[in-house]
């Protein structure tokens, strides 16, 4: 893979410059996405529409679209001269990324019960994003990111790592609650209860937003920050849309429950 990267980039300086540009472009796309989502919900799940392409089986879609975020980083770590992977801060940050995407790619899709098909456009865009982001995050961490020798004991790294872990656990637990809302043979939607769902409608989204905010805090880079910003834009919109949908559908929906931030919003 080093040969391929050498063919793409004339020097390490050029590749690092491209990685930086990718981060800034992701920030720009986050701004564009924020504006577009003021008029249109993310078109998958209960908001799916045939105008976004033919339907793709939801388990297949989740597995394939998330796969680049696992396979491409694995190639970058093990099949390139990843000079920074011997350093502890880089190892831990890469491990956080892998931990999420091992679960998201190899476990989560196969636990889905039912679920609406994903429109092809949403599936294709998610696939491209995962390839783009997987390369940007792990190439930077494995080959370019430099941290002080004592970075893992710095309050910023410790706080960010703790937020990542809390967010990851909340995300997994909330997905578990959602999967088990219906008993075998049941159909239709139910009010999620338990865990962080007692406080917000988008508990799973809050978990993932917290997870990548912690990753960005611990990673201290434009690349991890851009990923966190983009994730927040997309999932916050999703949480608000879900909250409005629940309030409209269920007369007995808890009125004290917020959309995304407990007691606030």
């Amino acid at each position: 893979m080093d040969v391929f990267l050498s063919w793409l980039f004339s020097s390490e300086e050029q590749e690092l410059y491209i990685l930086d540009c990718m981060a800034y472009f992701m920030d720009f796309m986050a701004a564009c996405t924020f504006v577009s989502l003021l008029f249109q919900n993310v078109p998958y799940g209960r908001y799916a529409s045939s105008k976004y392409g033919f339907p793709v089986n939801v388990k297949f879609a989740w597995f394939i679209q998330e796969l680049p975020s696992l396979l491409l980083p694995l190639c970058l770590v093990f099949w390139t001269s990843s000079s920074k992977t011997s350093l502890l801060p880089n190892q831990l940050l890469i491990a956080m990324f892998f931990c999420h995407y091992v679960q998201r790619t190899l476990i989560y899709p196969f636990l889905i019960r039912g679920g609406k098909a994903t429109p092809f456009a949403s599936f294709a865009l998610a696939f491209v994003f995962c390839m783009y982001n997987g390369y940007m995050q792990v190439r930077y961490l494995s080959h370019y990111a430099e941290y002080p020798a004592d970075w893992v004991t710095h309050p910023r790294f410790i706080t960010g790592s703790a937020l990542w872990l809390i967010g990851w656990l909340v995300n997994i637990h909330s997905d578990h609650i959602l999967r088990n809302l219906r008993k075998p043979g049941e159909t239709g939607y139910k009010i999620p209860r338990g865990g962080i769902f007692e406080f917000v409608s988008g508990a799973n989204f809050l978990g993932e937003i917290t997870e990548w905010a912690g990753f960005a805090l611990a990673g201290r880079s434009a690349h991890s920050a851009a990923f966190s910003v983009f994730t927040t834009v997309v999932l916050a919109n999703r949480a608000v849309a879900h909250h409005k949908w629940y309030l409209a559908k269920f007369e007995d929906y808890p009125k004290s429950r917020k959309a995304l931030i407990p007691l606030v919003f």
Side-chain angles (χ1 to χ4, degrees), residues 7-162:
W7 175 75
L8 280 178
F9 307 106
S10 60
S11 66
E12 291 187 347
E13 289 75 16
Q14 185 190 47
E15 184 180 23
L16 181 57
Y17 173 76
I18 294 298
L19 287 168
D20 291 344
C21 289
M22 290 175 70
Y24 301 138
F25 182 71
M26 185 176 284
D27 286 327
F28 171 73
M29 289 306 299
C32 294
T33 301
F34 175 80
V35 174
S36 68
L37 291 179
L38 294 175
F39 306 98
Q40 171 68 53
N41 292 321
V42 180
Y44 72 91
R46 68 193 66 173
Y47 312 109
S49 170
S50 59
K51 70 179 181 180
Y52 293 103
F54 61 85
V56 181
N57 176 273
V58 64
K59 290 187 177 183
F60 177 83
W62 269 105
F63 173 67
I64 296 299
Q65 74 189 30
E66 302 293 311
L67 196 57
S69 286
L70 181 60
L71 289 186
L72 185 55
L74 282 172
C75 292
L76 291 171
V77 169
F78 294 107
W79 294 346
T80 68
S81 54
S82 47
S83 57
K84 303 298 183 182
T85 54
S86 60
L87 305 176
L88 184 58
N90 304 61
Q91 291 173 347
L92 293 175
L93 288 162
I94 291 171
M96 291 179 199
F97 193 86
F98 275 131
C99 195
H100 176 89
Y101 281 105
V102 165
Q103 196 278 336
R104 211 44 148 187
T105 304
L106 303 181
I107 299 174
Y108 174 79
F110 304 101
L111 295 176
I112 294 174
R113 297 179 180 179
K116 292 186 176 180
T118 302
F120 180 78
S122 297
F123 162 69
L125 287 173
F127 180 88
V128 171
F129 176 83
C130 285
M131 182 176 294
Y132 183 104
N133 189 57
Y135 165 72
M136 181 177 73
Q137 299 300 332
V138 176
R139 182 59 175 173
Y140 176 74
L141 288 171
S142 66
H143 202 77
Y144 295 105
E146 295 185 0
Y147 299 98
D150 60 348
W151 182 241
V152 295
T153 61
H154 192 283
R156 179 169 175 171
F157 184 87
I158 294 171
T159 303
S161 298

Side-chain angles (χ1 to χ4, degrees), residues 199-217:
F199 305 98
V200 297
S201 300
N204 50 331
F205 305 128
L206 175 60
E208 189 161 351
I209 288 171
T210 303
E211 186 181 348
W212 295 122
F215 179 76
L217 185 62

